[in-house]
mmCIF file of all heavy atoms in Angstrom:
data_model
loop_
_atom_site.group_PDB
_atom_site.id
_atom_site.type_symbol
_atom_site.label_atom_id
_atom_site.label_comp_id
_atom_site.label_asym_id
_atom_site.label_seq_id
_atom_site.Cartn_x
_atom_site.Cartn_y
_atom_site.Cartn_z
ATOM 1 N N PHE A 1 -151.682 49.171 -5.546
ATOM 2 C CA PHE A 1 -152.524 48.641 -4.491
ATOM 3 C C PHE A 1 -153.273 47.431 -5.080
ATOM 4 O O PHE A 1 -153.869 47.558 -6.122
ATOM 5 C CB PHE A 1 -153.500 49.713 -4.049
ATOM 6 C CG PHE A 1 -152.813 50.958 -3.537
ATOM 7 C CD1 PHE A 1 -152.762 52.117 -4.259
ATOM 8 C CD2 PHE A 1 -152.174 50.915 -2.299
ATOM 9 C CE1 PHE A 1 -152.111 53.234 -3.803
ATOM 10 C CE2 PHE A 1 -151.527 52.030 -1.793
ATOM 11 C CZ PHE A 1 -151.486 53.222 -2.550
ATOM 12 N N TRP A 29 -164.802 60.573 -10.683
ATOM 13 C CA TRP A 29 -163.401 60.297 -10.935
ATOM 14 C C TRP A 29 -162.771 61.537 -11.502
ATOM 15 O O TRP A 29 -163.218 62.083 -12.511
ATOM 16 C CB TRP A 29 -163.378 59.135 -11.909
ATOM 17 C CG TRP A 29 -162.132 58.744 -12.610
ATOM 18 C CD1 TRP A 29 -160.871 59.242 -12.471
ATOM 19 C CD2 TRP A 29 -162.035 57.692 -13.556
ATOM 20 N NE1 TRP A 29 -159.979 58.588 -13.270
ATOM 21 C CE2 TRP A 29 -160.670 57.625 -13.957
ATOM 22 C CE3 TRP A 29 -162.917 56.798 -14.094
ATOM 23 C CZ2 TRP A 29 -160.214 56.716 -14.887
ATOM 24 C CZ3 TRP A 29 -162.454 55.900 -15.022
ATOM 25 C CH2 TRP A 29 -161.126 55.841 -15.400
ATOM 26 N N ASP A 30 -161.725 62.051 -10.854
ATOM 27 C CA ASP A 30 -160.940 63.155 -11.435
ATOM 28 C C ASP A 30 -159.481 62.884 -11.197
ATOM 29 O O ASP A 30 -159.107 61.830 -10.689
ATOM 30 C CB ASP A 30 -161.418 64.519 -10.901
ATOM 31 C CG ASP A 30 -161.256 64.677 -9.397
ATOM 32 O OD1 ASP A 30 -160.267 64.202 -8.833
ATOM 33 O OD2 ASP A 30 -162.134 65.321 -8.804
ATOM 34 N N ALA A 31 -158.620 63.789 -11.541
ATOM 35 C CA ALA A 31 -157.183 63.579 -11.493
ATOM 36 C C ALA A 31 -156.684 63.412 -10.065
ATOM 37 O O ALA A 31 -155.620 62.850 -9.836
ATOM 38 C CB ALA A 31 -156.454 64.739 -12.188
ATOM 39 N N LEU A 34 -160.839 59.391 -6.512
ATOM 40 C CA LEU A 34 -162.080 58.665 -6.858
ATOM 41 C C LEU A 34 -162.972 58.767 -5.636
ATOM 42 O O LEU A 34 -162.546 58.635 -4.495
ATOM 43 C CB LEU A 34 -161.817 57.186 -7.114
ATOM 44 C CG LEU A 34 -160.828 56.831 -8.210
ATOM 45 C CD1 LEU A 34 -160.606 55.329 -8.282
ATOM 46 C CD2 LEU A 34 -161.298 57.300 -9.555
ATOM 47 N N ASN A 48 -155.290 60.132 -5.161
ATOM 48 C CA ASN A 48 -154.151 59.905 -6.042
ATOM 49 C C ASN A 48 -152.898 60.125 -5.220
ATOM 50 O O ASN A 48 -152.689 61.204 -4.698
ATOM 51 C CB ASN A 48 -154.197 60.875 -7.213
ATOM 52 C CG ASN A 48 -153.114 60.593 -8.266
ATOM 53 O OD1 ASN A 48 -152.153 59.880 -7.994
ATOM 54 N ND2 ASN A 48 -153.257 61.183 -9.412
ATOM 55 N N GLY A 52 -146.356 58.034 -9.143
ATOM 56 C CA GLY A 52 -145.819 57.721 -10.444
ATOM 57 C C GLY A 52 -145.942 56.254 -10.758
ATOM 58 O O GLY A 52 -145.605 55.819 -11.884
ATOM 59 N N ASP A 53 -146.323 55.435 -9.831
ATOM 60 C CA ASP A 53 -146.450 53.999 -10.005
ATOM 61 C C ASP A 53 -147.872 53.719 -10.544
ATOM 62 O O ASP A 53 -148.867 54.040 -9.910
ATOM 63 C CB ASP A 53 -146.275 53.312 -8.682
ATOM 64 C CG ASP A 53 -146.318 51.806 -8.771
ATOM 65 O OD1 ASP A 53 -146.802 51.248 -9.783
ATOM 66 O OD2 ASP A 53 -145.882 51.127 -7.805
ATOM 67 N N ALA A 54 -147.925 53.129 -11.743
ATOM 68 C CA ALA A 54 -149.232 52.806 -12.353
ATOM 69 C C ALA A 54 -150.046 51.834 -11.513
ATOM 70 O O ALA A 54 -151.229 51.780 -11.590
ATOM 71 C CB ALA A 54 -149.021 52.235 -13.754
ATOM 72 N N GLY A 55 -149.344 51.070 -10.652
ATOM 73 C CA GLY A 55 -150.067 50.155 -9.746
ATOM 74 C C GLY A 55 -150.796 50.909 -8.641
ATOM 75 O O GLY A 55 -151.746 50.394 -8.095
ATOM 76 N N ASP A 56 -150.329 52.102 -8.315
ATOM 77 C CA ASP A 56 -150.993 52.929 -7.323
ATOM 78 C C ASP A 56 -152.126 53.748 -7.942
ATOM 79 O O ASP A 56 -153.142 53.985 -7.298
ATOM 80 C CB ASP A 56 -150.014 53.908 -6.686
ATOM 81 C CG ASP A 56 -149.006 53.240 -5.786
ATOM 82 O OD1 ASP A 56 -149.121 52.032 -5.519
ATOM 83 O OD2 ASP A 56 -148.070 53.938 -5.333
ATOM 84 N N TRP A 57 -151.946 54.213 -9.147
ATOM 85 C CA TRP A 57 -152.969 55.106 -9.779
ATOM 86 C C TRP A 57 -153.002 54.820 -11.302
ATOM 87 O O TRP A 57 -152.380 55.543 -12.091
ATOM 88 C CB TRP A 57 -152.627 56.559 -9.528
ATOM 89 C CG TRP A 57 -153.723 57.488 -9.946
ATOM 90 C CD1 TRP A 57 -153.772 58.168 -11.147
ATOM 91 C CD2 TRP A 57 -154.928 57.803 -9.265
ATOM 92 N NE1 TRP A 57 -154.915 58.901 -11.226
ATOM 93 C CE2 TRP A 57 -155.646 58.718 -10.089
ATOM 94 C CE3 TRP A 57 -155.463 57.419 -8.067
ATOM 95 C CZ2 TRP A 57 -156.884 59.204 -9.687
ATOM 96 C CZ3 TRP A 57 -156.692 57.929 -7.681
ATOM 97 C CH2 TRP A 57 -157.388 58.794 -8.480
ATOM 98 N N PRO A 58 -153.726 53.767 -11.701
ATOM 99 C CA PRO A 58 -153.838 53.498 -13.137
ATOM 100 C C PRO A 58 -154.988 54.263 -13.807
ATOM 101 O O PRO A 58 -155.305 54.029 -14.962
ATOM 102 C CB PRO A 58 -154.145 51.986 -13.145
ATOM 103 C CG PRO A 58 -154.937 51.787 -11.899
ATOM 104 C CD PRO A 58 -154.324 52.736 -10.878
ATOM 105 N N PHE A 59 -155.577 55.210 -13.068
ATOM 106 C CA PHE A 59 -156.819 55.835 -13.490
ATOM 107 C C PHE A 59 -156.664 57.024 -14.423
ATOM 108 O O PHE A 59 -157.580 57.832 -14.553
ATOM 109 C CB PHE A 59 -157.635 56.214 -12.280
ATOM 110 C CG PHE A 59 -157.819 55.071 -11.307
ATOM 111 C CD1 PHE A 59 -157.196 55.117 -10.055
ATOM 112 C CD2 PHE A 59 -158.527 53.945 -11.685
ATOM 113 C CE1 PHE A 59 -157.358 54.039 -9.200
ATOM 114 C CE2 PHE A 59 -158.699 52.877 -10.830
ATOM 115 C CZ PHE A 59 -158.083 52.946 -9.582
ATOM 116 N N ASP A 60 -155.512 57.160 -15.050
ATOM 117 C CA ASP A 60 -155.311 58.232 -16.020
ATOM 118 C C ASP A 60 -155.217 57.681 -17.432
ATOM 119 O O ASP A 60 -154.716 58.299 -18.350
ATOM 120 C CB ASP A 60 -154.076 59.085 -15.699
ATOM 121 C CG ASP A 60 -152.812 58.259 -15.541
ATOM 122 O OD1 ASP A 60 -152.862 57.024 -15.703
ATOM 123 O OD2 ASP A 60 -151.772 58.852 -15.256
ATOM 124 N N ARG A 61 -155.763 56.457 -17.618
ATOM 125 C CA ARG A 61 -155.783 55.800 -18.898
ATOM 126 C C ARG A 61 -157.249 55.388 -19.221
ATOM 127 O O ARG A 61 -158.060 55.327 -18.292
ATOM 128 C CB ARG A 61 -154.920 54.513 -18.883
ATOM 129 C CG ARG A 61 -153.462 54.833 -18.670
ATOM 130 C CD ARG A 61 -152.679 53.558 -18.596
ATOM 131 N NE ARG A 61 -152.991 52.898 -17.322
ATOM 132 C CZ ARG A 61 -152.238 51.995 -16.776
ATOM 133 N NH1 ARG A 61 -151.174 51.547 -17.386
ATOM 134 N NH2 ARG A 61 -152.566 51.452 -15.628
ATOM 135 N N PRO A 62 -157.584 55.110 -20.452
ATOM 136 C CA PRO A 62 -158.938 54.687 -20.772
ATOM 137 C C PRO A 62 -159.306 53.392 -20.024
ATOM 138 O O PRO A 62 -158.466 52.523 -19.818
ATOM 139 C CB PRO A 62 -158.912 54.469 -22.283
ATOM 140 C CG PRO A 62 -157.756 55.283 -22.754
ATOM 141 C CD PRO A 62 -156.735 55.260 -21.643
ATOM 142 N N PHE A 63 -160.560 53.312 -19.649
ATOM 143 C CA PHE A 63 -161.110 52.118 -18.959
ATOM 144 C C PHE A 63 -162.402 51.731 -19.576
ATOM 145 O O PHE A 63 -163.006 52.484 -20.343
ATOM 146 C CB PHE A 63 -161.331 52.438 -17.472
ATOM 147 C CG PHE A 63 -160.129 52.260 -16.622
ATOM 148 C CD1 PHE A 63 -159.150 53.223 -16.579
ATOM 149 C CD2 PHE A 63 -159.961 51.143 -15.855
ATOM 150 C CE1 PHE A 63 -158.016 53.092 -15.789
ATOM 151 C CE2 PHE A 63 -158.831 50.982 -15.059
ATOM 152 C CZ PHE A 63 -157.860 51.956 -15.063
ATOM 153 N N HIS A 64 -162.892 50.536 -19.271
ATOM 154 C CA HIS A 64 -164.161 50.034 -19.702
ATOM 155 C C HIS A 64 -165.021 49.788 -18.463
ATOM 156 O O HIS A 64 -164.517 49.423 -17.416
ATOM 157 C CB HIS A 64 -164.035 48.718 -20.473
ATOM 158 C CG HIS A 64 -163.176 48.835 -21.669
ATOM 159 N ND1 HIS A 64 -163.655 49.296 -22.880
ATOM 160 C CD2 HIS A 64 -161.876 48.580 -21.863
ATOM 161 C CE1 HIS A 64 -162.673 49.300 -23.766
ATOM 162 N NE2 HIS A 64 -161.585 48.875 -23.176
ATOM 163 N N LEU A 65 -166.286 49.993 -18.597
ATOM 164 C CA LEU A 65 -167.234 49.742 -17.526
ATOM 165 C C LEU A 65 -167.760 48.323 -17.664
ATOM 166 O O LEU A 65 -168.262 47.955 -18.726
ATOM 167 C CB LEU A 65 -168.389 50.765 -17.594
ATOM 168 C CG LEU A 65 -169.483 50.588 -16.527
ATOM 169 C CD1 LEU A 65 -168.933 50.844 -15.148
ATOM 170 C CD2 LEU A 65 -170.633 51.543 -16.853
#
Side-chain angles (χ1 to χ4, degrees):
F1 301 106
W29 168 3
D30 61 38
L34 302 175
N48 185 346
D53 183 344
D56 290 353
W57 189 261
F59 308 113
D60 55 1
R61 296 178 288 199
F63 275 79
H64 300 277
L65 178 65

